Amino acid sequence: MLVGKRIVLGVTGGIAAYKAVELCRRLVDAGAHVIPVMTEGAERFVGRATLSALASEPVQTSLWDEVDPIPHTRLGRSADLIVVAPATARLLSAYANGLSTDLLTNILLATRAPVVVCPAMHTEMWEHPAVRANVAALASRGVHIVEPESGRLAGGDIGTGRLAATESIVAAITAALAAGAASTAGELSGTHVVVSAGGTREPIDAVRVIANRSSGKQGYALAAEAALRGARVTLVSTVELPSPAGSEVRAVETAAEMLDALAELAPKADVVIMAAAVADFRPTTVAPGKLKKATGMPEIVLERTPDILAGLGANKPPTQVLVGFAAETSDLVANATSKLQAKNLDLIVANDVSAPGVGFQHETNAVTLLCADGSTIGVGLTDKKAVAKVVMDTVVKILMTKPRQ
Ligand code: PMT
């Protein structure tokens, strides 16, 4: 359950902060990708270097010192889970009351991932009605609370308030992840989702091609998310990436091969997502063998490739959700809207590929989802997995409005 999961580990300023180091190590050992976020108070109890050395990424503490201008939304959206251990009375109060005073509280407000909070403080504080009310408010909103244990506290006092044992926190994290997965797990079971990924390559001669910069990362993230939700997934792909568990890969190279694969697969699919960057032009003829420099400058005549997505839109079964992508460098919404309408799509995912960190090859993307019913959803710069989650949430909603097969 923990393997490959992105876990933000929030550490606040209590004596139990030193135990967050052990928690971090245990999560990393179990295969999680741990991103530590410390408050100013936490830094008085444990060194940045210690957590940075054990975690998967260096410690982050501030809203202001990253190249990324909005780290809280990036971290909040891309996390599979957020755990705060230890959580002080101040953190509980800020979180319960929606206060965004530092990076950690901003992340907590900017996430839809499951949150596990592990309070630790002196008994009198833990039993104070204000703290009890904040804990109750958080629990009523679905935050997982790992109650503190009874035992020796700082200064030699004995009582309830000691941070729960690391094993209990890891167990709560695993259970919260399992519950989160279960809530979307079956959403697409019984459906067939077809996703195209990568850039087509159109041959000029035996060795040269016209290509584009698509890495296939966004398409593979979509396929993985659909498979996680229980769909049977077929990836029509021009790239060799590890295939997501539960998906079958159909390897293609040219626009013509992609067209053939989709012509076969799409008519019976419940969802078709064209994330691939299909060449718009290809050489009219492919030179046999390798064109030789000595024979002079070749004249390459281009012709249009078939618009695969437009063809799918024209023949779309009424039960199907058809999704296109739009890679734009200007007039994002206007251009994407005309593709949405012209190609008879249910949804188009528009990315401005001229913006830093967006689109081709990056690990990240920023998109605007434009639905056929006129609704729009903006997703700021975040990793492609998080984009895939939002796209798939929207696909599931549209699928529910379609007549059943
Ligand atoms: O692969 P990555 O490196 O992760 O990058 C992701 C991405 C930038 C490739 C992806 O986010 C994206 O934008 N994919 C669509 C790229 C594209 O071809 O956009 P377009 O605006 O030119 O085409 C619009 C739609 O028509 C697309 O769904 C495309 O697949 C489809 N199309 C285009 C031309 C054509 N001949 N046939 C098509 O089906």
Side-chain angles (χ1 to χ4, degrees), residues 309 324-345 347-352 367-372 376:
L309 187 56
F325 269 69
E328 307 294 342
T329 51
S330 63
D331 300 327
L332 183 72
V333 171
N335 287 335
T337 304
S338 56
K339 286 177 186 171
L340 173 81
Q341 290 162 354
K343 301 190 190 202
N344 190 28
L345 309 178
L347 166 68
I348 195 155
V349 183
N351 34 199
D352 177 352
V367 298
T368 304
L369 278 65
L370 305 167
C371 302
T376 62

Side-chain angles (χ1 to χ4, degrees), residues 206-226:
V207 298
R208 301 178 180 92
V209 294
I210 295 177
N212 64 64
R213 297 180 193 281
S214 172
S215 64
K217 287 175 191 164
Q218 186 62 78
Y220 274 65
L222 287 156
E225 185 60 30

Side-chain angles (χ1 to χ4, degrees), residues 90-101:
R90 186 195 65 80
L91 182 283
L92 296 173
S93 172
Y95 187 21
N97 291 288
L99 283 181
S100 51
T101 52

Side-chain angles (χ1 to χ4, degrees), residues 8 14 17 19 49 54 71 97 123 133 138 153 170 196 206 251 267 276 298 327 337 354 382 387 397 405:
V8 172
K19 294 185 182 171
L54 292 168
N97 291 288
T123 311
L138 292 173
L153 304 170
V170 172
S196 71
T337 304
S354 64
T382 185
V387 169
K397 282 187 196 132
Q405 295 250 23

